[in-house]
């Protein structure tokens, strides 16, 4: 983002012609659908030819495509995108495909706070942020020799759980570790996984208001479907699988809709509020959609193993609303909520407040 002043760029925009753009993947159907419902023009950034699958889903198809040879080429097209009044909506695949360095450098107004990236992508810093916000997290095992119960070993930068493995002791760790890669060991938290979708607006003052200003919504909850761990039991225990030479993996293939017991909602919202407050203190704030990835234990305690600071694909089951967003407004997806926020920011002359 070096030297890029989004507010200044937005001052040159025609506010009546804002175009919502994102990379054609991840949650783009939902983003385009929501933007269209709020009256925005939409632009789908794609590598090479526009993907044909949009023809099958016309209400989620962007008005136009913006093909690039490589995603990093977007850097050279910033002026053109600005001339088209483009606001970028980042999602996980957008950041991954462009690369974090390029994403940070992109000179196009982007919804959300790009300063969150170094805090989110570094496991040490994200722990500092979340623990600092009073969030309970899985224990970290610094020395693999101390593994004395089921632990999950994660490779740094590995997206979507690829290569992760479970080890019960040092022997199992040694057998499986790729020592050329940077890794991180956590206790494997036993419980049920809930991925909570929040939306923080600094521009609204009703609903679940926050002490630092604005309000927080909880738009939905999902659980990821992960291959092969989530169905591996069909062949036997993971240790029986190992005898067959099969390693469980944690690769996301889809998402299930979910609700949590109502008595947990108070804490879920409180956790979101504390994460927002700490973000304000550490790097200027967290607004728009974000997700806490949690395990709830049988003691009904949340343990948060990760934060995603933008729209997650787990919101996709809720294009026409979730059991939570239905209690806020009809047919409210996260994609549509983003568009509503941009419409409100435009009306208030506050686009520069919510874009970086
Ligand atoms: P992404 O960036 O897509 O969120 P990632 O590569 O950062 O993924 P994680 O989300 O940290 O990986 O973990 C991938 C999966 O591994 C989780 O969805 C969850 O099923 C499992 N997992 C991660 N940490 C733990 C833990 N401490 N205890 C139990 N399961 C875990």
């Amino acid at each position: 983002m070096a030297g890029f002043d989004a507010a200044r760029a937005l001052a040159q925009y025609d506010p009546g012609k804002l175009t919502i753009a994102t990379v054609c993947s991840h949650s783009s159907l939902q983003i385009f659908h929501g933007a269209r419902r709020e009256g925005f023009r939409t632009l789908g950034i794609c590598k090479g030819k526009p993907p044909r699958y949009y023809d099958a889903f016309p209400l989620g198809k962007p008005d136009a495509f913006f093909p690039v040879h490589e995603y990093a080429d977007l850097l050279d097209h910033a002026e053109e995108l600005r001339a088209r009044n483009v606001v970028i909506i980042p999602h996980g695949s957008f950041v991954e495909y462009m690369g974090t360095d390029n994403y940070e450098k992109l000179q196009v107004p982007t919804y959300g706070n790009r300063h969150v990236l170094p805090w989110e992508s570094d496991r040490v810093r994200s722990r500092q942020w979340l623990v600092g916000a009073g969030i309970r997290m899985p224990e970290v095992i610094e020395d693999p020799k101390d593994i004395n119960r089921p632990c999950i070993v994660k490779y740094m930068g590995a997206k979507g759980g690829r290569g992760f493995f479970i080890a019960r002791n040092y022997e199992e760790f040694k057998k499986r570790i790729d020592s050329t890669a940077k890794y991180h060991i956590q206790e494997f938290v036993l419980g049920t996984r809930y991925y909570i979708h929040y939306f923080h607006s600094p521009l609204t003052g009703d609903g679940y208001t926050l002490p630092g200003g604005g309000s927080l919504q909880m738009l939905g909850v999902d659980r990821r479907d992960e291959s092969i761990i989530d169905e591996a039991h069909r062949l036997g225990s993971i240790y029986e699988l190992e005898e067959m030479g099969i390693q469980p993996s944690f690769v996301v293939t889809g998402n299930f809709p979910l609700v949590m017991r109502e008595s947990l909602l108070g804490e879920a919202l409180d956790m979101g509020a504390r994460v927002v407050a700490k973000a304000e203190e550490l790097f200027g704030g967290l607004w728009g959609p974000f997700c806490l990835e949690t395990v709830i234990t049988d003691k009904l305690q949340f343990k948060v193993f990760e934060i995603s600071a933008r729209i997650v694909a787990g919101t996709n089951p809720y294009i026409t609303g979730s059991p939570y967003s239905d209690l806020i407004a009809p047919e409210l997806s996260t994609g549509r909520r983003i568009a509503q926020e941009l419409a409100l920011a435009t009306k208030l002359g506050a686009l520069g407040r919510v874009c970086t």
Side-chain angles (χ1 to χ4, degrees):
M1 242 182 316
F4 180 59
D5 183 342
R8 203 158 144 201
L10 286 160
Q12 309 299 315
Y13 276 28
D14 178 346
K17 290 205 177 137
L18 224 59
T19 296
I20 286 185
T22 197
V23 159
C24 291
S25 189
H26 191 270
S27 46
S28 68
L29 287 165
Q30 183 198 154
I31 292 170
F32 296 137
H33 177 253
R36 173 175 294 207
R37 291 199 71 175
E38 296 302 318
F40 286 103
R41 297 164 57 78
T42 51
L43 185 67
I45 299 162
C46 53
K47 188 169 153 176
K49 266 182 25 195
R52 267 210 69 208
Y53 72 86
Y54 285 95
D55 291 337
F57 308 109
L59 299 183
K61 184 176 174 176
D63 295 316
F65 287 98
F66 194 86
V68 287
H69 186 58
E70 294 292 341
Y71 290 111
D73 296 349
L74 279 178
L75 294 178
D76 306 326
H77 293 290
E79 200 177 328
E80 191 184 340
L81 291 168
R82 290 198 305 268
R84 290 170 79 161
N85 299 292
V86 161
V87 171
I88 300 273
I89 311 298
H91 52 57
S93 301
F94 191 125
V95 178
E96 195 187 335
Y97 294 168
M98 262 206 94
T100 46
D101 288 354
N102 288 328
Y103 170 71
E104 283 184 300
K105 278 191 238 151
L106 185 61
Q107 310 256 313
V108 181
T110 298
Y111 178 61
N113 185 1
R114 276 191 268 186
H115 295 292
V116 66
L117 215 71
W119 287 87
E120 178 198 15
S121 54
D122 179 318
R123 289 198 193 274
V124 176
R125 287 180 107 181
S126 68
R127 180 167 280 265
Q128 186 189 336
W129 170 17
L130 297 178
V131 171
I135 300 290
R136 208 179 290 111
M137 294 190 77
E139 200 181 308
V140 173
I141 287 84
E142 302 289 354
D143 184 345
K145 294 199 178 84
D146 294 337
I147 300 177
N148 57 5
R149 65 201 135 134
C151 287
I152 180 163
V153 183
K154 306 179 178 189
Y155 291 109
M156 304 289 211
K159 281 285 152 195
R162 203 167 284 279
F164 291 8
F165 65 89
I166 298 168
R168 288 171 296 179
N169 49 46
Y170 184 52
E171 291 311 305
E172 288 182 358
F173 170 85
K174 269 200 311 200
K175 218 156 58 185
R176 290 174 204 151
I177 191 70
D178 169 3
S179 45
T180 62
K182 276 176 99 178
Y183 60 85
H184 170 92
I185 312 169
Q186 278 179 5
E187 71 171 303
F188 188 92
V189 183
L190 286 175
T192 44
R193 290 168 299 132
Y194 288 76
Y195 299 70
I196 311 170
H197 319 145
Y198 300 90
F199 191 94
H200 170 225
S201 167
L203 306 178
T204 55
D206 53 353
Y208 189 90
T209 52
L210 301 181
S215 65
L216 184 71
Q217 293 172 325
M218 186 177 144
L219 294 179
V221 183
D222 79 291
R223 177 170 303 156
R224 290 186 183 170
D225 202 13
E226 294 174 334
S227 182
I228 61 170
I229 185 80
D230 286 344
E231 299 227 24
H233 60 87
R234 298 177 81 192
L235 270 180
S237 75
I238 55 171
Y239 301 109
E240 285 169 308
L241 288 175
E242 198 180 320
E243 282 162 25
M244 300 175 215
I246 302 167
Q247 279 296 324
S249 51
F250 295 80
V251 177
V252 186
T253 53
N255 304 83
F256 296 111
L258 206 67
V259 288
M260 59 174 68
R261 42 191 289 177
E262 195 166 318
S263 59
L264 293 166
L265 290 177
E267 191 176 347
L269 281 157
D270 189 49
M271 287 194 306
R274 282 185 277 130
V275 165
V276 168
K278 194 69 190 175
E280 185 76 46
E281 192 187 308
L282 291 174
F283 51 84
L286 172 72
W287 61 89
F290 67 97
C291 174
L292 291 180
E293 303 177 13
T294 78
V295 175
I296 305 180
T297 67
D298 58 1
K299 304 272 184 309
L300 295 180
Q301 283 193 331
F302 284 99
K303 286 205 181 174
V304 175
F305 56 86
E306 169 125 322
I307 181 164
S308 293
R310 58 195 62 74
I311 185 169
V312 288
T315 58
N316 286 338
Y318 303 125
I319 287 188
T320 53
S322 80
Y324 299 107
S325 70
D326 283 349
L327 302 171
I328 299 171
E331 302 193 19
L332 182 64
S333 69
T334 296
R336 189 172 184 190
R337 183 65 190 82
I338 293 170
Q340 288 178 348
E341 189 76 350
L342 288 173
L344 178 65
T346 307
K347 194 167 128 208
L348 298 175
L351 274 174
R353 164 69 184 85
V354 295
C355 296
T356 50

